[in-house]
Amino acid sequence: MNRDSQTKHNQAIITKISLMLTYPYKRPSYRAVCRRLNESEFTSSVGNAWTERSIYRMLQRNGYSGLWGLQKYCHHN
């Protein structure tokens, strides 16, 4: 996967995760996010199943400090 398609893929995953974070009561755990992504058959940019660590690292590489940082960013916009 080239850099542009990897960026688009990661942005689609971030959008999917941010929709999970709009639930008003409680932020989902990394385990719950992994389960939902894997059940939806979303794979990582290299085709692997999601793990808690891979989600955290992907978010870090894209400028968010994990689920907490993504949720904070979503609520400010």
Side-chain angles (χ1 to χ4, degrees):
M1 184 177 283
N2 65 24
R3 177 84 61 193
D4 285 339
S5 57
Q6 185 178 19
T7 301
K8 288 177 185 176
H9 177 78
N10 286 344
Q11 193 56 48
I13 297 296
I14 290 170
T15 301
K16 176 87 172 162
I17 294 171
S18 66
L19 291 174
M20 292 179 210
L21 298 176
T22 58
Y23 189 68
Y25 302 110
K26 183 180 175 186
R27 180 177 62 241
S29 66
Y30 282 97
R31 183 172 291 164
V33 171
C34 287
R35 187 175 55 249
R36 286 186 185 172
L37 289 175
N38 290 328
E39 286 172 356
S40 302
E41 298 182 7
F42 280 98
T43 60
S44 68
S45 60
V46 294
N48 296 329
W50 288 100
T51 64
E52 294 146 7
R53 180 173 282 186
S54 62
I55 289 173
Y56 179 74
R57 296 266 170 92
M58 187 269 300
L59 290 172
Q60 271 191 325
R61 282 191 305 272
N62 286 281
Y64 303 103
S65 57
L67 291 176
W68 179 84
L70 181 59
Q71 184 177 30
K72 186 175 177 181
Y73 176 79
C74 291
H75 287 302
H76 285 302
N77 287 332

